């Protein structure tokens, strides 16, 4: 079976973990500090704060911005559940705004209509690895005095108008979960430029204490610390981030060249002013294709090819989220959730496997 994703652990990660184990300091310490500095250098943001998941990064960021019960946060319903759960975690209400059907990111032209006097922030999601429309979204945020939080769990190393993701929104949240472009099993990172907010987040992730202020509890806190063991893996992975990105982009362009001309298949849209880091390579299967998306998925499975649907329905359809917004029944989120199909993509995916996948899709298309 060709899996949809596969992480790469080599000897440098193994050695780095061994060295932490032998150092006697396995919890958050010097290695995590160094990892934070790696992110500062790479993104150009002033501060980086490590946490133990992308979800924790989102939760801590919303808390850091003072978002609480009674507040509204605008976001996309076409994302991983953590984006929206983090809004509930601080007691605020998610307000869903539809996406563009070609880029899968927030349709900025629909944001203003969703703003009320309770709106405090917009969470953008750089879905599949391509940045959202930051110029337009930041202009709206400025006009209404809202914060922009970038859920960049899938977009490490991407850039927008020559600026790295991590230094575009007010706060950026990365995930280092096992399937992400670089990873350490479970982990997350927050980058930002505001000192006060960064101090608030540092307290929040460590029981309400600031570094060097043991047992001085200033406010509610959690234990969202990352271990040096995980940090050591993440640091080694981070050294390869540009290499990994190039590999993923190369795989994507190979897929593009094989699949572009197949009737009923839409290949990913790449915007010229930003880089797509292809956390996922996601095609759309439209009515012109000879089989339905789910039939194609099953046929590929019988041929030993794993695919996935990210995501099978918009989050606005889950009852517990008490969804607000997205009233248009013919919304893009619902439409694309029925058409998207993500194909295998990871740095070790061979050219032979890519050709096999594409030839199999072509064969199915013509059968
Ligand atoms: C993975 C992911 C998250 C959550 O990250 P975890 O590290 O798994 O908690 C949040 N948002 C998006 C878009 C993701 O893909």
């Amino acid at each position: 079976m060709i899996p949809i994703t596969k992480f790469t652990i080599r000897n440098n990660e193994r050695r780095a973990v061994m060295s932490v184990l032998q150092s006697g300091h396995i919890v958050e310490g010097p290695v995590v500090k160094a990892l934070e500095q790696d992110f500062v250098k790479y993104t150009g943001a002033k501060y980086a704060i490590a946490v133990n998941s992308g979800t924790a990064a989102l939760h801590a960021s919303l808390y850091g911005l003072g978002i609480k019960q009674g507040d509204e946060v605008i976001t996309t319903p076409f994302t991983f559940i953590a984006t929206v759960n983090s809004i509930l975690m601080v007691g605020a209400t998610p307000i869903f705004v539809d996406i563009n059907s070609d880029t899968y990111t927030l349709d900025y032209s629909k944001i203003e209509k969703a703003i009320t006097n309770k709106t405090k922030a917009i969470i953008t999601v750089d879905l599949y690895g391509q940045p959202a429309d930051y110029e337009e979204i930041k202009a709206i945020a400025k006009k209404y005095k809202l914060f922009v939080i970038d859920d960049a769990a899938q977009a490490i190393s991407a850039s927008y108008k020559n600026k790295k993701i991590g230094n575009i929104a007010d706060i950026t949240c990365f995930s280092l979960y096992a399937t992400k472009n670089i990873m350490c099993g479970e982990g997350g990172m927050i980058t930002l430029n505001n000192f006060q907010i960064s101090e608030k987040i540092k307290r929040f992730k460590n029981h309400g204490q600031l570094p060097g202020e043991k047992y001085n509890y200033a406010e509610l806190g959690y234990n969202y610390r990352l271990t040096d063991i995980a940090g050591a893996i993440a640091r080694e992975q981070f050294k390869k981030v540009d290499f990994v990105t190039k590999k993923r982009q190369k795989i994507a362009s190979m897929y593009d060249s094989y699949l572009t001309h197949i009737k009923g298949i839409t290949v990913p849209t790449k915007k010229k002013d930003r880089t797509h880091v292809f956390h996922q390579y996601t095609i759309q299967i439209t009515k012109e294709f000879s089989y339905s998306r789910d039939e194609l998925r099953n046929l590929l499975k019988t041929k030993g090819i794993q695919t996935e649907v990210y995501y099978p329905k918009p989050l606005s359809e889950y009852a517990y989220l008490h969804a607000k917004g997205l009233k248009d029944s013919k919304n893009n989120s619902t439409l694309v959730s029925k058409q998207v199909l993500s194909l295998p993509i990871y740095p070790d995916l061979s050219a032979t496997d890519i050709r096999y996948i594409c030839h199999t899709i072509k064969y199915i298309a013509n059968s």
Side-chain angles (χ1 to χ4, degrees), residues 209-223:
Q209 311 166 95
L210 271 176
E213 291 186 1
K214 212 171 174 197
Y215 302 125
N216 183 14
Y217 306 115
E219 54 191 321
L220 170 72
Y222 287 69
N223 174 2

Side-chain angles (χ1 to χ4, degrees), residues 6 8 39 113 130 132 159 169 224 300 302:
K6 197 162 112 188
T8 316
F39 271 78
K113 265 181 280 169
Q130 181 159 244
S159 56
Y224 279 164
L300 289 171
T302 66

Side-chain angles (χ1 to χ4, degrees), residues 197-254:
I197 297 168
S198 77
E199 291 292 288
K200 202 167 170 201
I201 291 172
K202 275 185 209 161
R203 257 183 249 128
F204 186 72
K205 66 167 264 197
N206 189 23
H207 303 295
Q209 311 166 95
L210 271 176
E213 291 186 1
K214 212 171 174 197
Y215 302 125
N216 183 14
Y217 306 115
E219 54 191 321
L220 170 72
Y222 287 69
N223 174 2
Y224 279 164
R225 296 179 309 251
L226 188 68
T227 66
D228 266 15
I229 301 170
I233 300 172
R235 284 205 80 196
E236 290 305 319
Q237 292 262 310
F238 203 38
K239 287 179 190 164
K240 297 181 265 195
V241 68
D242 290 332
F243 169 79
V244 163
T245 299
K246 279 199 196 93
K247 271 263 183 184
R248 285 177 174 271
Q249 288 166 337
K250 188 159 175 240
I251 291 167
S253 72
M254 281 185 73

Side-chain angles (χ1 to χ4, degrees), residues 51-343:
V51 288
N52 53 24
S53 73
T55 310
L58 287 160
H59 183 198
S61 296
L62 284 157
Y63 181 86
L65 294 173
I67 291 160
K68 55 184 189 308
Q69 187 145 24
D71 295 341
E72 293 179 351
V73 178
I74 288 171
T75 194
T76 153
F78 197 64
T79 178
F80 183 58
I81 189 67
T83 315
V84 175
N85 276 346
S86 68
I87 300 169
L88 300 185
M89 286 177 195
V90 295
T93 305
I95 305 293
F96 292 112
V97 166
D98 204 13
I99 55 164
N100 298 299
S101 61
D102 57 345
T103 58
Y104 311 102
T105 56
L106 273 178
D107 179 349
Y108 62 81
S109 73
K110 298 194 174 126
I111 291 177
E112 281 195 89
K113 265 181 280 169
I115 295 172
T116 71
N117 55 6
K118 293 179 181 165
T119 311
K120 291 283 148 56
I122 301 167
I123 305 184
T124 56
V125 179
D126 304 327
L127 202 74
Y128 306 147
Q130 181 159 244
D133 294 317
Y134 285 102
E135 194 166 295
E136 293 85 356
I137 292 171
K138 281 173 74 173
I140 295 167
K142 194 173 172 197
K143 182 171 166 193
Y144 293 91
K145 296 192 166 57
L146 310 175
F147 295 112
V148 178
I149 302 172
D150 177 4
D151 179 345
Q154 305 186 357
I156 193 158
S157 118
S159 56
Y160 176 87
K161 303 199 176 189
N162 294 318
K163 221 172 160 191
K164 277 270 182 243
I165 285 294
N167 196 16
I168 294 173
D170 295 297
I171 299 197
T172 303
C173 300
F174 296 102
S175 167
L176 298 166
Y177 180 66
T179 60
K180 308 295 183 187
N181 289 18
I182 67 160
M183 66 96 210
C184 60
E186 298 273 9
M189 188 66 72
I190 298 161
T191 58
L192 73 166
N193 288 314
N194 183 295
F195 175 75
Q196 260 89 30
I197 297 168
S198 77
E199 291 292 288
K200 202 167 170 201
I201 291 172
K202 275 185 209 161
R203 257 183 249 128
F204 186 72
K205 66 167 264 197
N206 189 23
H207 303 295
Q209 311 166 95
L210 271 176
E213 291 186 1
K214 212 171 174 197
Y215 302 125
N216 183 14
Y217 306 115
E219 54 191 321
L220 170 72
Y222 287 69
N223 174 2
Y224 279 164
R225 296 179 309 251
L226 188 68
T227 66
D228 266 15
I229 301 170
I233 300 172
R235 284 205 80 196
E236 290 305 319
Q237 292 262 310
F238 203 38
K239 287 179 190 164
K240 297 181 265 195
V241 68
D242 290 332
F243 169 79
V244 163
T245 299
K246 279 199 196 93
K247 271 263 183 184
R248 285 177 174 271
Q249 288 166 337
K250 188 159 175 240
I251 291 167
S253 72
M254 281 185 73
Y255 271 135
D256 279 350
S257 64
Y258 284 113
L259 301 177
T260 301
H261 301 297
I262 300 179
K263 215 169 138 202
I265 288 185
T266 313
V267 299
T269 299
K270 290 188 293 289
K271 293 278 211 168
K272 284 202 177 66
D273 56 358
R274 62 203 81 174
T275 58
H276 194 321
V277 297
F278 289 99
H279 173 61
Q280 299 296 344
Y281 183 88
T282 303
I283 56 176
Q284 286 191 44
I285 311 301
T286 65
K287 284 191 212 73
E288 288 81 58
F289 197 76
S290 31
Y291 293 88
S292 76
R293 190 262 319 267
D294 294 337
E295 284 167 345
L296 171 61
R297 221 189 138 200
N298 284 329
L299 287 166
L300 289 171
K301 193 172 157 197
T302 66
K303 302 281 184 189
I305 300 161
Q306 190 195 2
T307 59
E308 281 293 346
V309 172
Y310 304 112
Y311 297 92
K313 59 181 188 178
L315 298 180
S316 43
E317 289 180 20
Y318 293 83
Y320 85 97
L321 293 172
H322 306 296
K324 297 220 172 75
L326 208 72
K327 289 184 190 87
D328 180 4
S329 60
K330 286 206 288 292
N331 63 75
N332 290 330
S333 305
T334 305
L335 171 77
V336 301
S337 70
K338 296 187 171 96
Q339 297 192 160
V340 288
L341 187 69
S342 297
L343 304 180

